[in-house]
Structure formats: structure tokens, C-alpha cells
């Protein structure tokens, strides 16, 4: 717990046990995370992005998990918020890039050329060294930049837009594809997206979940699809869970779906089998 000088002087103990326990829990988590990352306990699960027109797999999204020695498999929500508040988020990004590109390499060698998308935290988008780190990861695995897509949320662009624009511009110039994730939440605006070298928007699953039953959500999805297409963007729907929603999305002209309807995120070995079951025709280079 923290005490202000005044509290100390007055001798009044303002001790917040809950906050203190929380701080300690966070510190333990972060030190375990640091060690877990070094010991190779971060793993990626992959989820397919599927063409709503043809059913072809147009790419995979890599989603980080932490195989915790005692707590089992942890999801990003269990550790990312804490990690994102520290410098550890940059090593995490590098680790995820390394794992994802090594896997792309392995799949390529098995004759499966499937582009992969990696998520970026907001802070990473402001790191001037990010493009060099991404390019060095690509080079070390011998993967062309066009096989990598980076997903970022619009909140990443609000703080220092000029700096983010510079970083994204350099990634785009190098041939890396960029997506806006969770579109429709927070600070979303197509006006902002229009001025960025982005080729894809992903409509947040909160709008997809209820588009079949909620007029406002259906209207939002329709307008993102139409405006996105006018701007030359591929439009992806996240969180597609049932055939009726997939059909409604296809009807609106939405390009790509992702969600439990097609497959939940799965480990690399399972994904290898899943992809093999859809070969030879199903895997294409891009939507
Ligand atoms: P996201 O990028 O929007 O990823 C989609 C999330 O929705 C994933 O949760 C996925 O498992 C889940 N999902 C997929 N299909 C469905 C569906 O049909 N229904 C429902 N209800 N959920 C579905 P996950 O893996 O827990 O990841 C949560 C978030 O953590 C991601 O959201 C992303 O923002 C972040 N994240 C994941 N991996 C990384 C990473 O390597 N680096 C960074 N910086 N962030 C990551
Ligand atoms: Mg994402
Ligand atoms: Mg998303
Ligand atoms: Mg989302």
C-alpha cells in the first residue's frame, strides 16, 4: 500500500489490504510471466479466417496463450492487461512474432502457404523500432512480408497519431498487411481508417453476435461493409457462431468470417490436421 506524506505524519494508517494483495498478485504474475516467456511457456493458438463467398481459408489469426505450470492454460485476458502496463509487452510481441513465423515456415515446408495475423498492443504501434523488429523476425524465418498481417485496434491510433502513422507507414512499405481490429468499439471512425495504409477492418464480435436480432447492429454491419468496400478494404466479421449469421453476412457482402462456426482457436498440431482436411483446394494466398 502507498501512504501519502500527510497520512504518515498524521499517524493515520490508511492501509488498503485488497489493493495491496492486488499489487502483490500482479507482481507475482509479472515475474512468473517473465520466467514463463524465457522458458518457452508461451504458445500460440490459431483460428482460421474463412471467405464467406467460397469457404476458402484466407488466413489464420495467432492468439497467445500461457501454459502456466500450476494454473493451466491462461488466456490473454488473464495476463495481457498486466503485461501491457510494463515493458514486457515488447518482448511478448517479439516472442509471438517469432513463434508465428516459425510456424508459417513449418507449414510452408509442408506445402501449406497460409498467411498469419498477429495482434499488436496499442503501445507497440508507437515504437519506432517496431518495423525493424518485424522485418528482422521475417528475415530470420525466411518469410515474405506479404505472409504477415498485423492487427491493431483504433485506440492505438488515438494517443500519438503522427507517430503511429509513421510506424504503420513503414510496415506497409515493407509489404506487411495491416488490419483494424474490434472495429465499431471505442474510438472507431472510418475517417481515421481512410488515412491509414490499412487493407482490412474486422467488425467487433459484439455487433456480429446480435446482428440477426438487433436492427442497429445489422445497420452498423451493413454500413461498415459498404464504406469499407468503398475504401477498398477487406471486411472481416469476428465472432461468427451460427450459420444464420454467416448467411446474413454473406448477403451483406461481408468478405471474411471468423468464429466458432468455422473453428475455435486451436494449437498448431491440431491446426495442421484441420488445414490438411481442407486441402488441396481450400487454402489460398489471400481473399
Ligand atoms: P481479438 O484479436 O479480437 O481476438 C478474437 C478473440 O475472440 C479471441 O479471444 C478468440 O478466441 C475469441 N473468439 C474467436 N471466435 C469467437 C466466437 O465465435 N465467439 C466468441 N465469443 N469469441 C470468439 P482470445 O484468444 O482470448 O484473445 C483476446 C484478445 O487478446 C484478442 O482479441 C487480442 O486483442 C488479444 N491478444 C491475443 N493474442 C495476442 C497477442 O499475441 N498479442 C497481443 N498484443 N494481444 C493479443
Ligand atoms: Mg485480433
Ligand atoms: Mg478482434
Ligand atoms: Mg474482439
Amino acid at each position: 500500500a502507498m501512504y501519502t506524506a500527510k497520512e504518515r505524519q498524521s499517524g493515520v494508517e490508511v492501509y488498503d489490504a485488497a489493493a495491496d494483495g492486488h499489487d502483490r498478485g500482479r507482481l507475482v504474475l509479472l515475474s512468473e510471466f517473465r520466467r514463463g516467456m524465457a522458458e518457452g511457456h508461451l504458445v500460440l493458438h490459431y483460428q482460421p479466417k474463412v471467405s464467406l463467398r467460397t469457404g476458402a481459408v484466407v488466413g489464420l489469426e495467432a492468439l497467445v496463450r500461457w501454459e502456466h505450470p500450476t494454473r493451466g492454460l491462461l488466456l490473454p485476458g488473464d495476463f495481457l492487461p498486466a503485461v501491457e502496463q510494463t515493458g514486457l509487452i515488447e518482448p511478448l510481441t517479439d516472442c509471438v512474432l517469432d513463434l508465428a513465423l516459425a510456424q508459417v515456415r513449418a507449414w510452408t515446408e509442408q506445402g501449406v502457404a497460409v498467411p498469419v495475423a498477429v495482434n499488436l498492443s496499442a503501445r507497440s504501434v508507437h515504437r519506432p523500432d517496431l518495423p525493424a523488429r518485424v522485418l528482422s523476425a521475417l528475415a530470420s524465418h525466411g518469410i515474405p512480408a506479404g505472409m504477415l498481417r498485423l492487427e491493431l485496434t483504433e485506440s492505438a491510433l488515438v494517443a500519438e497519431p503522427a507517430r503511429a502513422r509513421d510506424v504503420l507507414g513503414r510496415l506497409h512499405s515493407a509489404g506487411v498487411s495491416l488490419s483494424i481490429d474490434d472495429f465499431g468499439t471505442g474510438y472507431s471512425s472510418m475517417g481515421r481508417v481512410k488515412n491509414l495504409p490499412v487493407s482490412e477492418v474486422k467488425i467487433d464480435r459484439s455487433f456480429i453476435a446480435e446482428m440477426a436480432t438487433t436492427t442497429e447492429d445489422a445497420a452498423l454491419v451493413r454500413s461498415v461493409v459498404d464504406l469499407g468496400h468503398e475504401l477498398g478494404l477487406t471486411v472481416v466479421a469476428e465472432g461468427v457462431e451460427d450459420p444464420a449469421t454467416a448467411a446474413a453476412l454473406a448477403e451483406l457482402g461481408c468478405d471474411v468470417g471468423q468464429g466458432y462456426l468455422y473453428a475455435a482457436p486451436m494449437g498448431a498440431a491440431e491446426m495442421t490436421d484441420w488445414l490438411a482436411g481442407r486441402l488441396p483446394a481450400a487454402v489460398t494466398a489471400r481473399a
Side-chain angles (χ1 to χ4, degrees):
M2 303 284 280
Y3 303 91
T4 64
K6 199 170 163 202
E7 282 160 359
R8 276 184 210 288
Q9 267 174 7
S10 70
V12 178
E13 290 249 324
V14 187
Y15 178 76
D16 183 342
D20 197 46
H22 179 78
D23 283 354
R24 195 174 303 127
R26 191 170 158 275
L27 289 177
V28 169
L29 180 89
L30 289 169
S31 88
E32 288 180 345
F33 178 83
R34 190 192 312 270
R35 175 160 358 139
M37 184 161 57
E39 291 178 353
H41 295 169
L42 292 191
V43 296
L44 298 181
H45 280 189
Y46 297 88
Q47 187 179 38
K49 297 161 105 167
V50 175
S51 165
L52 287 162
R53 276 184 297 277
T54 67
V57 178
V58 297
L60 304 176
E61 178 172 6
L63 297 156
V64 70
R65 273 91 180 93
W66 173 10
E67 288 177 337
H68 190 280
T70 57
R71 294 168 66 197
L73 191 71
L74 300 185
L75 294 171
D78 300 322
F79 59 90
L80 260 192
V83 171
E84 281 179 333
Q85 286 172 26
T86 72
L88 284 173
I89 190 61
E90 301 311 323
L92 176 137
T93 297
D94 292 339
C95 176
V96 169
L97 279 168
D98 185 54
L99 291 170
L101 295 173
Q103 188 57 56
V104 169
R105 176 80 199 187
W107 279 324
T108 303
E109 283 167 4
Q110 295 165 35
V112 180
V114 59
V116 73
V118 164
N119 292 281
L120 287 181
S121 291
R123 272 173 54 175
S124 301
V125 177
H126 296 101
R127 298 272 316 203
D129 63 348
L130 181 71
R133 284 157 51 209
V134 170
L135 295 185
S136 112
L138 285 164
S140 77
H141 293 286
I143 302 296
M147 292 292 278
L148 178 66
R149 177 175 285 287
L150 296 174
E151 298 189 0
L152 53 132
T153 60
E154 277 196 290
S155 58
L157 306 170
V158 174
E160 284 182 89
R163 203 151 135 190
R165 194 179 306 277
D166 169 63
V167 170
L168 298 180
R170 286 190 284 136
L171 286 165
H172 172 74
S173 301
V176 176
S177 305
L178 301 171
S179 291
I180 299 295
D181 208 345
D182 303 344
F183 191 81
T185 62
Y187 304 91
S188 289
S189 105
M190 272 290 180
R192 198 188 339 262
V193 173
K194 182 186 78 180
N195 296 314
L196 291 167
V198 159
S199 60
E200 181 181 273
V201 280
K202 302 184 72 178
I203 306 174
D204 192 69
R205 73 163 185 265
S206 59
F207 300 98
I208 305 304
E210 272 156 38
M211 64 176 284
T213 52
T214 310
T215 337
E216 290 80 4
D217 287 353
L220 181 126
V221 171
R222 179 190 298 276
S223 73
V224 174
V225 169
D226 291 348
L227 208 46
H229 285 168
E230 269 175 52
L231 298 176
L233 303 172
T234 298
V235 182
V236 179
E238 26 173 68
V240 181
E241 295 186 355
D242 57 86
T245 302
L249 287 163
E251 181 77 18
L252 291 178
C254 187
D255 305 290
V256 175
Q258 186 179 348
Y260 298 161
L261 172 64
Y262 308 104
M266 60 187 103
E270 227 188 311
M271 181 51 83
T272 304
D273 292 344
W274 191 91
L275 287 170
R278 302 174 67 102
L279 288 174
V283 180
T284 62
R286 237 168 236 296

